[in-house]
Amino acid sequence: MDISTLLGASPVMPVIVLDKVADAVPLARALVAGGIRVLEVTLRTAAALDSIRAIAAEVPDAIVGAGTVVTPADLAAAAEAGASFAVSPGASAELLRAGRESAIPLLPGVMTPTDVINALAAGYTAMKLFPAAQAGGIGMLKALGGPFPQLRFCPTGGIDAASAPGFLALPNVACVGGSWLTPADRVRAGDWAAITELARAAAALRLADSAR
């Protein structure tokens, strides 16, 4: 599955931080039950790669990827763990090159027009704007749409349930990333029903956007 198809599968890509592998499968099932299938498990904890393995093996309806990929070694480890895609907060020339050669697609992180040009020159037309709020948010995405009409973005960073619809209304936004679907206190409590409700509300954002 290419990255454009992945980005179109859910209006919101949850940014997931897992401290315990045991939480991975029930969390993924809760998100899928609410209509959110594309899941970004960040490589920020020791549990991340094993969590990706568990979700890939046990939740077939989920499309699990690895986030916080910053080196070619991270990318290789994510692919080996069973990730279907990878997401980076930024992108070196080395990582962009590795992404083109990888068995799984990479969504490279960009923040400036120069970052965008470098990623575009390396063959990428889908990118993660990060950190979106600090980079200028909706105004920045509108500005980037002029010189780069062929690109699609997944803005991430500082986006929540209230601001997500404004981003999703932009023609160059394929989806948004956010951590509000998996609040740490709900994950620690194992409150999977609450997470399913958050996912259901996030999945409905696509319907609200298409109705405008």
Side-chain angles (χ1 to χ4, degrees):
M1 188 179 293
D2 64 26
I3 200 71
S4 295
T5 303
L6 284 167
L7 296 182
S10 293
V12 181
M13 185 188 301
V15 178
I16 301 167
V17 179
L18 285 165
D19 293 312
K20 296 190 299 182
V21 177
D23 290 333
V25 167
L27 174 62
R29 286 176 175 157
L31 290 165
V32 169
I36 297 296
R37 299 178 56 223
V38 181
L39 317 179
E40 176 191 338
V41 176
T42 62
L43 302 187
R44 300 180 190 176
T45 68
L49 289 171
D50 283 339
S51 295
I52 290 169
R53 285 189 184 91
I55 295 169
E58 299 183 44
V59 192
D61 289 335
I63 304 169
V64 62
T68 322
V69 169
V70 298
T71 67
D74 290 339
L75 182 58
E80 188 277 331
S84 293
F85 65 97
V87 184
S88 68
S92 65
E94 185 183 27
L95 181 59
L96 289 171
R97 187 164 52 251
R100 298 302 297 166
E101 299 168 355
S102 175
I104 61 174
L106 171 68
L107 182 69
V110 298
M111 185 177 180
T112 69
T114 298
D115 294 339
V116 170
I117 288 170
N118 288 335
L120 183 59
Y124 294 86
T125 56
M127 303 171 196
K128 168 182 172 176
L129 181 69
F130 180 82
Q134 293 81 354
I138 288 172
M140 176 62 121
L141 286 159
K142 287 180 176 178
L144 290 173
F148 307 110
Q150 74 275 45
L151 303 186
R152 294 297 176 267
F153 294 92
C154 174
T156 305
I159 299 174
D160 57 20
S163 60
F167 283 90
L168 290 168
L170 300 176
N172 59 347
V173 170
C175 66
V176 300
S179 57
W180 82 88
L181 276 70
T182 57
D185 60 337
R186 296 298 87 205
V187 175
R188 282 194 300 269
D191 191 350
W192 311 126
I195 288 173
T196 292
E197 287 308 307
L198 290 170
R200 188 168 288 121
L205 291 174
R206 184 190 303 278
L207 299 177
D209 178 46
S210 27
R212 279 195 289 272

